[in-house]
């Protein structure tokens, strides 16, 4: 009875055949799943815009950490799970519904909708690994996913406790994030079972790299949406138009820096690495999380500058405008360090220059146009150097 139920819910055929397909393609179901994150990223940008304080920034980081981890673990799962299989599609739709619940809760996640956010997150975090453990039953990967699921259950205790105890919510949810993000580096260690080595996760890295590139483009698309939405509601005066042009060019620079060099180094690394899982953990699960997060911060900064192009910038606007590109450069640096063992000195110099631009604009009480122009100038230089450093033979 139990065997027939397992075969019905998670048949072995729901798993991709890696032997037949060395590099799994990104399916329409995976792209459909990502649509929820278009809305989620918009919600996160608006949350940051409406909570411009240290506490608000901390809350935004925790919300993003949860959102990113649900997407990241699902992307890893679809490296083995076939989303085009009927059972795989059902699982993806269920996970998609959970992600939508999280997105809906984000504006009031630390208030009236904490239970919805935490409940949807925990449900998603438990369904995915235990389903994969069932699909991989009898294999080493089944044990791996069982251990991942038990760590997710541990973090779930903190998520639910934080939802039920508002006075301790920030501390409990911070603990939950730490458990979630530390788990892979602890190898999902459990008493009596030990740890799961990264070598025991036979990953197809190029598929996961493509998934991460697509979600980064979605994050950049949020900047375009916020820019366009702000222009619709603002009078098209000279200052607003100039600010919009600056914002648009900042988005282009982020894309150019990433796809001018970073993208190629990732592809080259996965094509020649023998252990894809090891480099995917740091280069994709963590570094690309930083990259996607930076795009959200940049989107918020562009809206702030377009909305008040001639006003003297306040400290929160300066910090958001400078930290967005700085975080982006940090994510790029980690990714390139993992993939090619090199980090351009230009990234460090650019971070220093961004800090200088922010300090000058703040202390001289300069307008948002000057702040945006300064940030753009720094990114243009980095983008030009990224383009100049492309591998030989690239157009």
């Amino acid at each position: 009875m139990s065997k027939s139920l397992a075969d019905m819910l998670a048949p072995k055929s729901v798993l991709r055949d890696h032997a037949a397909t060395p590099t799994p393609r990104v399916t329409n179901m995976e792209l459909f799943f990502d649509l929820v994150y278009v809305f989620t990223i918009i919600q996160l940008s608006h949350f940051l815009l409406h909570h411009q304080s240290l506490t608000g920034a901390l809350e935004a980081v925790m919300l993003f950490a949860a959102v990113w981890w649900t997407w990241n673990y699902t992307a890893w799962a679809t490296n083995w799970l076939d989303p085009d299989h009927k059972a795989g599609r059902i699982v993806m739709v269920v996970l998609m519904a959970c992600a939508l619940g999280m997105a809906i809760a984000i504006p009031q996640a630390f208030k009236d909708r904490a239970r919805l956010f935490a409940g949807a997150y925990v449900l998603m975090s438990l369904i995915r690994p235990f389903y994969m453990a069932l699909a991989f039953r009898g294999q080493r990967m089944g044990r791996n996913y069982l251990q991942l699921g038990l760590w997710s259950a541990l973090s779930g205790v903190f998520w639910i406790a934080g939802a039920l105890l508002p006075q301790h919510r920030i501390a409990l949810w911070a603990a939950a994030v730490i458990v979630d993000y530390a788990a892979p580096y602890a190898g999902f260690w459990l008493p009596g079972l030990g740890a799961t080595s990264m070598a025991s996760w036979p990953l197809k890295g190029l598929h996961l790299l493509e998934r991460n590139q697509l979600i980064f483009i979605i994050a950049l698309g949020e900047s375009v949406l916020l820019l366009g939405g702000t222009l619709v509601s603002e009078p098209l005066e000279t200052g607003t138009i100039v600010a919009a042009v600056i914002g648009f060019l900042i988005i282009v620079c982020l894309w150019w820096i990433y796809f001018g060099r970073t993208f190629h180094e990732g592809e080259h690394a996965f094509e020649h690495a023998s252990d894809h899982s090891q480099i995917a953990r740091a280069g994709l699960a963590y570094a690309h999380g930083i990259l996607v997060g930076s795009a959200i911060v940049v989107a918020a900064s562009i809206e702030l500058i377009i909305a008040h192009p001639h006003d003297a910038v306040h400290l929160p606007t300066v910090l958001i405008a400078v930290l967005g590109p700085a975080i982006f450069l940090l994510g790029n640096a980690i990714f390139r360090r993992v993939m090619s063992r090199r980090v351009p000195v230009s990234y460090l110099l650019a971070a220093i220059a961004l800090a200088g631009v922010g300090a000058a604009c703040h202390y001289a009480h300069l307008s948002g146009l000057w702040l945006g122009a300064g940030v753009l100038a720094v990114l243009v230089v980095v983008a030009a150097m990224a383009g100049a450093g492309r591998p030989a033979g690239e157009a």
Side-chain angles (χ1 to χ4, degrees):
M1 178 65 135
S2 60
K3 184 179 185 302
S4 62
L5 182 60
D7 288 337
M8 183 170 58
L9 294 176
K12 295 296 181 69
S13 58
V14 77
L15 299 174
R16 294 183 192 255
D17 185 357
H18 279 185
T21 309
T23 301
R25 68 182 183 87
V26 175
T27 64
N28 290 329
M29 186 67 233
E30 290 169 276
L31 299 177
F32 183 53
F33 173 81
D34 285 352
L35 289 180
V36 173
Y37 288 86
V38 176
F39 175 53
T40 302
I41 290 171
I42 291 174
Q43 292 283 72
L44 288 168
S45 295
H46 287 165
F47 184 93
L48 183 59
L49 284 168
H50 296 139
H51 299 81
Q52 296 180 42
S53 65
L54 288 177
T55 300
L58 177 60
E59 291 175 349
V61 167
M62 284 189 281
L63 294 177
F64 172 74
V67 165
W68 172 253
W69 221 227
T70 59
W71 183 89
N72 171 65
Y73 270 161
T74 303
W76 278 64
T78 55
N79 201 256
W80 299 287
L81 179 75
D82 182 3
D84 280 341
H85 190 284
K86 181 179 179 181
R89 286 181 175 176
I90 293 173
V91 172
M92 292 293 286
V93 168
V94 171
L95 296 178
M96 191 176 179
C98 292
L100 182 59
M102 290 176 63
I104 293 169
I106 283 174
Q108 297 293 321
F110 282 87
K111 296 178 181 178
D112 298 339
R113 294 189 176 179
R115 295 183 184 185
L116 174 58
F117 184 85
Y121 176 84
V122 173
L123 188 60
M124 193 174 184
S125 298
L126 295 180
I127 289 174
R128 185 194 318 102
F130 288 118
Y131 182 86
M132 295 299 291
L134 189 62
F136 273 115
R137 58 193 177 278
Q139 302 179 46
R140 174 59 188 269
M141 280 289 291
R143 197 192 84 170
N144 288 355
Y145 262 109
L146 176 62
Q147 292 183 226
L148 189 160
L150 293 174
W151 271 79
S152 296
L154 174 61
S155 76
V157 172
F158 291 98
W159 284 109
I160 297 301
L164 298 176
L165 302 171
Q167 67 274 29
H168 303 297
R169 184 165 296 150
I170 291 179
L172 288 168
W173 282 5
V177 169
I178 292 172
V179 171
D180 279 328
Y181 277 72
Y185 275 99
F188 307 108
W189 181 90
L190 290 172
L193 292 177
T196 67
S197 67
M198 289 307 298
S200 67
W201 298 78
L203 188 76
K204 298 298 182 181
L206 287 173
H207 166 263
L208 194 57
L209 176 64
E210 184 179 359
R211 294 288 289 117
N212 278 262
Q213 290 163 354
L214 291 172
I215 197 66
F216 176 65
I217 291 176
I218 287 175
L220 288 182
E222 158 59 4
S223 297
V224 176
L225 289 175
L226 275 181
L227 187 155
T230 303
L231 288 178
V232 168
S233 59
E234 295 288 333
L236 295 181
E237 299 174 348
T238 302
T240 303
I241 295 174
V242 172
V245 171
I246 290 172
F248 176 73
L249 291 177
I250 287 175
I251 299 168
V252 172
C253 283
L254 297 186
W255 181 91
W256 199 285
I257 293 168
Y258 181 87
F259 286 98
R261 182 69 180 182
T262 307
F263 163 78
H264 299 289
E265 290 190 353
E267 280 197 332
H268 182 270
F270 279 112
E271 286 171 353
H272 295 85
S274 57
D275 184 358
H276 285 192
S277 301
Q278 191 69 38
I279 61 175
R281 181 177 62 184
L284 300 182
Y286 294 95
H288 270 73
I290 295 172
L291 287 169
V292 172
S294 72
I296 294 173
V297 179
V298 168
S301 70
I302 290 173
E303 177 164 337
L304 287 171
I305 292 173
I306 293 177
H308 308 284
H310 298 297
D311 295 348
V313 290
H314 298 291
L315 185 58
T317 301
V318 171
L319 291 175
I320 292 174
V322 169
L323 285 176
I327 296 170
F328 170 78
L329 293 174
L330 173 63
N332 265 281
I334 295 173
F335 182 77
R336 295 186 65 174
R337 179 70 180 84
V338 172
M339 298 298 161
S340 65
R341 304 297 176 188
R342 296 190 302 270
V343 177
V345 177
S346 60
Y347 286 8
L348 176 60
L349 297 177
I352 295 172
L354 287 169
V357 168
C361 290
H362 175 62
Y363 289 111
H365 304 290
L366 298 180
S367 69
L369 286 178
W370 283 105
L371 176 61
V375 169
L376 175 60
V378 174
L379 291 177
V380 165
V381 173
V382 178
M385 296 180 70
R390 284 176 298 185
E394 290 291 340

